[in-house]
Amino acid sequence: MSSQAWTDAENDLIVGDYFAMLADDVAGRPYNKAEHRRQLLPLLNNRSEGSVEFKHQNISAVLKRLGEVWIIGYKPAFNF
C-alpha cells in the first residue's frame, strides 16, 4: 500500500466521491459506502480501503469544523 502523500488528483477524486454520497444522504437516497470505496480504489495510487475510509473521516472533520453538514457514518477524524 502507498505511504506517499495524497496527490491533488487523488484528493479531487475522494472529495468528489464524498460529496456524491453526501448529496444522496441529504436527499434521503440510499447509497452504499463500501461500493463507493470499491469503485474509487482502482482510481487511486495503491491506497488501502482503510486509508480511503480514514480520508473520508478527515473530510467529515473539515466539514464539521466549518459548521457544514457531514456524513454521520464517517465519524470525524481531526488529524488533517
Side-chain angles (χ1 to χ4, degrees):
M1 293 298 124
S2 181
S3 61
Q4 301 296 315
W6 286 66
T7 66
D8 289 344
E10 287 178 304
N11 284 320
D12 288 346
L13 287 167
I14 199 162
V15 169
D17 181 62
Y18 184 99
F19 277 95
M21 288 187 287
L22 182 59
D24 285 341
D25 197 56
V26 169
R29 292 185 298 260
Y31 62 96
N32 184 307
K33 293 185 327 184
E35 183 59 31
H36 272 262
R37 190 171 49 251
R38 281 190 292 272
Q39 290 180 8
L40 187 60
L41 280 171
L43 305 174
L44 304 174
N45 296 324
N46 200 29
R47 303 293 175 184
S48 68
E49 288 192 27
S51 68
V52 170
E53 182 88 7
F54 198 72
K55 188 66 116 176
H56 279 135
Q57 291 178 280
N58 287 149
I59 297 166
S60 287
V62 170
L63 291 172
K64 183 173 182 178
R65 186 161 288 164
L66 292 172
E68 299 294 335
V69 175
W70 49 280
I71 299 172
I72 300 300
Y74 285 118
K75 181 181 176 185
F78 289 97
N79 66 327
F80 52 88

